[in-house]
Amino acid sequence: MTNVLLITPPFTQLSSPYSAMPFLSGTLKKVGIESRQTDLGLLTALEFFSTNGLIAFFDEIEKSKIKKTPQIIKFISQKMRYINTIDSIILFLQGKYDILAERIIKRDFIPENNRFLILNEINLKNLGLIEKAKFMATLYIDDIVDLAKMTILPDFNLASYYERLAGSAGCFDAIYNEINNKNDLICQIVESILAKEDFNEVTLVGISVPFPGNLYSTLKIAKWLKKNYPNIKIAIGGGYVSTELRLLKDYRIFEFVDFISLDSGEAPLLSIIDFMNGKISKNNLCRTFVSENNMVRFIDNYGRGDLFGDELGVPDYKDLPLEKYLTLYETTNKMHRLWSTRIFLKLRVAYGCYHAKCSFCDTTLDYIKSYKPTDVALLIKQIKQIIKDTNIYAFHFVDEALPPHILKKLAIELLKENINIVWWGNIRF
């Protein structure tokens, strides 16, 4: 029997769970397959932005041979202020310590560096007390990120990690060398978290690679798993894989993973599970790359089609520590802040795009061209179930472009059933 662990790698979003794994988990549970999730991006960030994390961080900076510029020296002189305030700031950004706002806006509690210069250019008078403090707390976090990039973690960012390497994934040399020859502080944190995870019953690990800045961390996770749990099979997929690895030729990536799947992930994942359980042969996998005799082979012969509608199940957020996500206000623009306000749970009105004619878009990709709207009654059912599971009433519809005619029907049904949610998403005019 296949037991599945679904991992969101560093780093996607710290304010809410990324959509892929809750969607896949809901489908697996719908068809009776055991699975659980972990948001390794969130857990890694919380470990880094902690008292122990910053102690290790500043220790590495001080021991490093990096030239200590005046700006870096200033940071080091403030080391204890950062170490002594970081846990309180994270609690505040998690919505657990609102009373701290008064101290933050007095500007004598947290250390300030270059990010705070923006306060000389913008007016925060229109923001409420909590909003103003969250904006300042985010500047504090961004200062720490800037220090990391200036010193021992040049490829670190809050929503990506080693993004520059993903551009060379086609030939794979650069990322292959980095994975095998480097183990920085972030990698050490990731491995320490993995070491605490119980893998004894896990037979398959699925990792989503939605963006270029997730490829490196995904392969580092996979390398650790291969070393410590060689019997576990590893499958990767997601947006980056589906767009940038469609012409994959370099078999060396299969030193780290066993399966690489394209496009909508439910059917490929189910086909891999069926293969592992002996229900189908390897020749019947769905949209999946494998390696055979140091050659890359693409297989797409699964007997059943893609899942749709009620077959997909309700996105499952119950495994995730929803109370630990952060609000990071990187702008005073209220619309842009929606991306970083905790916590909006993801749903999808339709798979694909109802328009699919924009000249800037790659309309040949499946998640653009294959338009499949979700029945409004099913959306209402999903919303009710997620509210019941999480007690959260905020939703982000993650469609490439929300179909207005479906939105109108949804809005009417929400009013009819007196479902008082807050929701947002993107449309194209």
Side-chain angles (χ1 to χ4, degrees), residues 372-391:
K372 299 172 185 175
T374 305
D375 183 73
V376 169
L378 178 58
L379 280 172
I380 294 292
K381 175 184 173 183
Q382 291 178 339
I383 290 168
K384 287 180 175 180
Q385 185 63 52
I386 292 172
I387 290 172
K388 180 180 177 181
D389 291 342
T390 66
N391 203 33

Side-chain angles (χ1 to χ4, degrees), residues 159-411:
S160 67
Y161 184 50
Y162 277 93
E163 185 171 6
R164 65 179 172 85
L165 292 176
S168 61
C171 68
F172 204 58
D173 289 337
I175 197 165
Y176 186 80
N177 292 334
E178 290 275 4
I179 289 167
N180 286 312
N181 298 316
K182 197 167 186 178
N183 212 43
D184 62 21
L185 180 59
I186 297 298
C187 293
Q188 293 166 29
I189 291 172
V190 169
E191 291 180 359
S192 71
I193 295 170
L194 289 171
K196 298 172 188 174
E197 185 78 44
D198 182 6
F199 288 98
N200 289 322
E201 301 297 324
V202 176
T203 54
L204 174 64
V205 170
I207 311 175
S208 180
V209 191
F211 309 114
N214 302 124
L215 180 63
Y216 177 82
S217 58
T218 292
L219 295 180
K220 289 293 279 189
I221 293 164
K223 181 183 177 183
W224 186 91
L225 287 168
K226 286 295 181 188
K227 177 182 177 182
N228 292 281
Y229 297 91
N231 293 328
I232 291 177
K233 299 299 182 183
I234 301 170
I236 67 171
Y240 174 80
V241 171
S242 298
T243 54
E244 302 302 322
L245 299 187
R246 299 192 80 86
L247 302 178
L248 180 67
K249 300 295 182 186
D250 198 324
Y251 69 89
R252 289 176 297 172
I253 194 170
F254 289 98
E255 291 179 24
F256 310 99
V257 303
D258 300 284
F259 309 98
I260 301 175
S261 299
L262 302 181
D263 302 327
S264 180
E266 289 84 4
L269 184 58
L270 290 177
S271 78
I272 291 167
I273 293 169
D274 282 348
F275 167 60
M276 290 178 61
N277 288 336
K279 294 182 179 179
I280 63 171
S281 72
K282 183 189 289 187
N283 292 329
N284 295 114
L285 290 171
C286 176
R287 293 194 302 270
T288 296
F289 289 104
V290 296
S291 177
E292 293 180 347
N293 302 317
N294 291 339
M295 297 286 288
V296 177
R297 180 186 174 200
F298 183 68
I299 306 169
D300 187 17
N301 295 308
Y302 196 39
R304 62 170 298 165
D306 280 310
L307 283 72
F308 177 66
D310 199 37
E311 291 180 306
L312 294 172
V314 179
D316 180 26
Y317 293 94
K318 288 180 287 188
D319 290 348
L320 297 169
L322 301 179
E323 76 285 354
K324 293 185 178 181
Y325 288 87
L326 314 175
T327 289
L328 293 170
Y329 281 173
E330 297 185 343
T331 173
T332 57
N333 183 301
K334 290 187 176 183
M335 178 60 217
H336 293 166
R337 282 211 313 261
L338 285 171
W339 285 105
S340 54
T341 298
R342 65 173 304 273
I343 188 170
F344 284 93
L345 300 181
K346 273 65 167 184
L347 275 175
R348 187 171 60 200
V349 173
Y351 181 82
C353 180
Y354 72 96
H355 183 61
K357 297 176 184 176
C358 296
S359 60
F360 59 79
C361 185
D362 189 347
T363 56
T364 63
L365 294 172
D366 185 74
Y367 75 94
I368 303 296
K369 70 178 181 181
S370 299
Y371 176 59
K372 299 172 185 175
T374 305
D375 183 73
V376 169
L378 178 58
L379 280 172
I380 294 292
K381 175 184 173 183
Q382 291 178 339
I383 290 168
K384 287 180 175 180
Q385 185 63 52
I386 292 172
I387 290 172
K388 180 180 177 181
D389 291 342
T390 66
N391 203 33
I392 290 173
Y393 290 74
F395 293 90
H396 171 197
F397 293 109
V398 294
D399 301 59
E400 289 295 304
L402 285 165
H405 67 293
I406 304 291
L407 283 185
K408 182 176 181 180
K409 292 177 183 177
L410 175 62

Side-chain angles (χ1 to χ4, degrees), residues 84-109:
N84 291 334
T85 54
I86 186 63
D87 289 343
S88 295
I89 291 298
I90 293 299
L91 284 173
F92 173 70
L93 292 173
Q94 290 173 329
K96 301 174 182 178
Y97 196 1
D98 284 356
I99 200 168
L100 191 66
E102 295 277 4
R103 293 196 67 187
I104 294 172
I105 66 169
K106 288 180 180 177
R107 301 186 65 180
D108 60 1
F109 175 61

